Amino acid sequence: MNIGIESLSFFTSRYVLDLRTMAKARGVDAEKVVNGIGQEKMSVPPPGEDVITLAANAGHQALASIDTDSIEMVMFATESATDQSKAGGIYVHNLLKLKPYCRVIELKQACYSGTAGLLLARDMIQQHPERKVLILMSDIARYGLNSAGEITQGAGAIAMVVSSQPKIMTIEPDSGYYTQDVMDFWRPNYRDEALVDGKYSVRIYLKALTESWNLYHQRTRIGFEQFARFCYHLPFSRMAEKAHKHLAKINHIDLSENELATHINDGLIYNREIGNIYTGSLYLSLISMLENNPQDMSNQKVSLFSYGSGCVGELFAGQVLPGYRNYLNSDLHQSLLESRKELSYPEYSDFYNFAYAEDGTTQTMPSFDTGCYRLSQIKDHKRIYEML
Ligand code: COA
């Protein structure tokens, strides 16, 4: 039985900061941002946009051609949750008008948890082939102002429907994974901004990649050369270059610049324009690769490496299905990116510094473009959402 991705979409904020604007404001060489880090722009969420509205917008797109009554489970992966108790997916379940006979849970393990959702969904569908799972990965990446991580912020959500009738990609059952207790990136409950030991996180990412690959290869005997494309978790797009050169090296492969570009470049285009979307960033890279690759990828094998600080890594494979292009949302995604409103640096600061009420008073949100859904109010410590 084939199990995999039937439908796949992303949504990102309607507002964007060109990172050259930030570099200028910070007195940083723009070349460092564009070439050293590999980022062009970052999506910035306005007041009234949170991980719930981002996920609802992505979910709305991913469910456009799916019978919503077939969704038996919603997994909401995030590391920027709005509540310590209630699963954010329950708000989205309501906004998307899904049937009540459905499980909803929230998953957390830094940027990795969406992958846990996908692979758990795969196993569940193996047991119950008629059931479909909606996986939402939604995050707002937020670092301290003026910190090294600030230029790697971003905001966005991925929605995918996993089922036994995949149209885009089958997900193969074997994978290699690795866990180690480290403090490379974390966010204590009392903080809005992540703390990160950036250079250490890059080193530990590469270690998790090595260990995950080794286990994957030992279990499957599938080699580097059998993959046509490689997608990586992208905290910033140059991470893919570092990761891919590393993977080639441990496989004793002398990778040419042309091969490097062929293997990874199409998968970097959207991330360079949006920034880090944490849980969804690997899948944004997958969408970018599928939508921007001029070649037909049918029947090709794609390596997917997921990494979540703290840390867990997992490497697995997908096989692209013939006819996949008919099921992509390429035009919608292109117009979403092209129609974003560019922010000035003071506008970015205002969005960043917007304070959500934490004292139970009623706060009505200012009106910004947040797609089809918005957070309209916070009242008595409760978030109130509306469909527009
Ligand atoms: N022109 C071109 N390139 C330049 C440059 C310039 N003027 N100045 C610096 N660079 C290059 C550096 O050589 C370096 O390249 P390299 O990685 O090939 O060595 C790159 O730009 C980054 O410079 P560096 O000084 O190392 O950057 P930094 O101290 O600002 O830190 C990160 C970079 C990525 C560590 C930082 O942005 C960060 O912490 N990001 C968040 C990390 C994260 O999300 N981790 C989550 C888990 S993966």
Side-chain angles (χ1 to χ4, degrees):
M1 177 178 28
N2 274 348
I3 300 176
I5 302 172
E6 181 173 347
S7 166
L8 182 61
S9 199
F10 79 79
F11 186 80
T12 189
S13 300
R14 314 292 302 118
Y15 301 87
V16 64
L17 183 69
D18 191 310
L19 289 170
R20 291 172 189 84
T21 306
M22 178 180 282
K24 196 170 168 200
R26 293 270 179 263
V28 172
D29 184 355
E31 283 297 302
K32 172 181 172 179
V33 181
V34 176
N35 295 323
I37 303 287
Q39 292 302 118
E40 294 273 343
K41 296 178 181 174
M42 68 185 201
S43 287
V44 185
E49 179 162 71
D50 63 12
V51 292
I52 311 296
T53 64
L54 288 165
N57 277 297
H60 178 75
Q61 292 165 192
L63 291 174
S65 57
I66 304 275
D67 171 12
T68 52
D69 280 350
S70 61
I71 304 293
E72 296 258 337
M73 178 135 138
V74 177
M75 298 202 202
F76 189 90
T78 186
E79 56 182 295
S80 34
T82 57
D83 195 285
Q84 304 276 28
S85 173
K86 177 169 173 167
I90 297 181
Y91 296 106
V92 183
H93 173 273
N94 180 37
L95 290 167
L96 297 179
K97 301 184 171 40
L98 300 182
K99 67 177 181 182
Y101 307 105
C102 180
R103 291 187 185 121
V104 182
I105 56 166
E106 189 162 301
L107 301 171
K108 179 176 74 176
Q109 188 354 74
C111 301
Y112 163 76
S113 63
T115 297
L118 169 59
L119 300 179
L120 290 170
R122 195 200 173 288
D123 291 349
M124 188 193 90
I125 293 161
Q126 188 83 43
Q127 290 292 317
H128 301 283
E130 74 291 354
R131 298 183 189 172
K132 297 188 183 187
V133 180
L134 173 65
I135 301 177
L136 303 164
M137 310 170 197
S138 185
D139 274 299
I140 294 171
R142 191 176 157 94
Y143 294 88
L145 288 175
N146 241 326
S147 68
E150 188 186 13
I151 48 173
T152 69
Q153 296 177 122
I158 300 288
M160 65 170 73
V161 175
V162 183
S163 78
S164 60
Q165 290 119 47
K167 304 286 191 292
I168 296 173
M169 173 176 262
T170 57
I171 300 298
E172 296 183 358
D174 292 309
S175 66
Y177 31 76
Y178 178 74
T179 290
Q180 186 180 340
D181 183 2
V182 290
M183 294 300 279
D184 59 329
F185 170 107
W186 66 106
R187 185 169 68 84
N189 286 345
Y190 50 81
R191 282 184 65 100
D192 286 335
E193 297 85 30
L195 296 166
V196 60
D197 185 343
K199 303 248 163 71
Y200 178 50
S201 80
V202 171
R203 287 201 303 279
I204 201 78
Y205 177 120
L206 297 179
K207 181 173 184 209
L209 173 61
T210 305
E211 300 288 347
S212 301
W213 171 265
N214 287 345
L215 183 61
Y216 176 76
H217 181 63
Q218 184 191 322
R219 286 178 168 176
T220 62
R221 307 319 298 172
I222 292 172
F224 184 97
E225 298 87 348
Q226 284 164 268
F227 290 102
R229 295 291 183 277
F230 295 77
C231 293
Y232 292 93
H233 165 58
L234 296 177
F236 51 96
S237 79
R238 267 211 67 223
M239 189 67 227
E241 179 192 324
K242 291 176 193 287
H244 199 54
K245 284 181 173 167
H246 181 79
L247 192 64
K249 192 171 159 204
I250 62 172
N251 280 286
H252 312 290
I253 285 165
D254 190 14
L255 202 63
S256 71
E257 285 300 315
N258 267 350
E259 285 166 326
L260 174 73
T262 304
H263 286 166
I264 64 170
N265 276 7
D266 293 325
L268 308 183
I269 294 169
Y270 291 162
N271 303 65
R272 284 174 72 89
E273 291 284 313
I274 291 172
N276 190 359
I277 61 166
Y278 287 166
T279 47
S281 104
L282 167 63
Y283 302 93
L284 185 62
S285 175
L286 174 62
I287 296 174
S288 181
M289 187 275 290
L290 293 171
E291 294 186 354
N292 293 298
N293 192 329
Q295 286 167 18
D296 182 2
M297 291 293 295
S298 298
N299 300 314
Q300 302 285 311
K301 204 184 266 302
V302 179
S303 159
L304 297 145
F305 177 65
S306 183
Y307 175 79
S309 290
C311 72
V312 179
E314 185 152 2
L315 190 138
F316 61 105
Q319 183 146 322
V320 183
L321 286 161
Y324 69 100
R325 281 193 168 128
N326 299 327
Y327 298 93
L328 299 174
N329 286 305
S330 313
D331 292 346
L332 193 136
H333 292 150
Q334 289 293 344
S335 73
L336 184 64
L337 291 179
E338 282 162 14
S339 63
R340 288 179 297 176
K341 179 183 181 303
E342 191 168 328
L343 297 174
S344 65
Y345 184 77
E347 287 171 322
Y348 155 69
S349 290
D350 287 349
F351 280 10
Y352 183 99
N353 289 318
F354 181 81
Y356 286 92
E358 294 184 350
D359 59 0
T361 54
T362 300
Q363 181 185 33
T364 301
M365 294 301 145
S367 193
F368 286 101
D369 183 357
T370 57
C372 299
Y373 304 90
R374 69 185 284 262
L375 169 65
S376 56
Q377 247 185 14
I378 299 180
K379 190 177 179 187
D380 301 328
H381 298 286
K382 295 172 192 159
R383 288 186 178 229
I384 299 164
Y385 294 93
E386 64 183 21
M387 186 172 174
L388 300 169

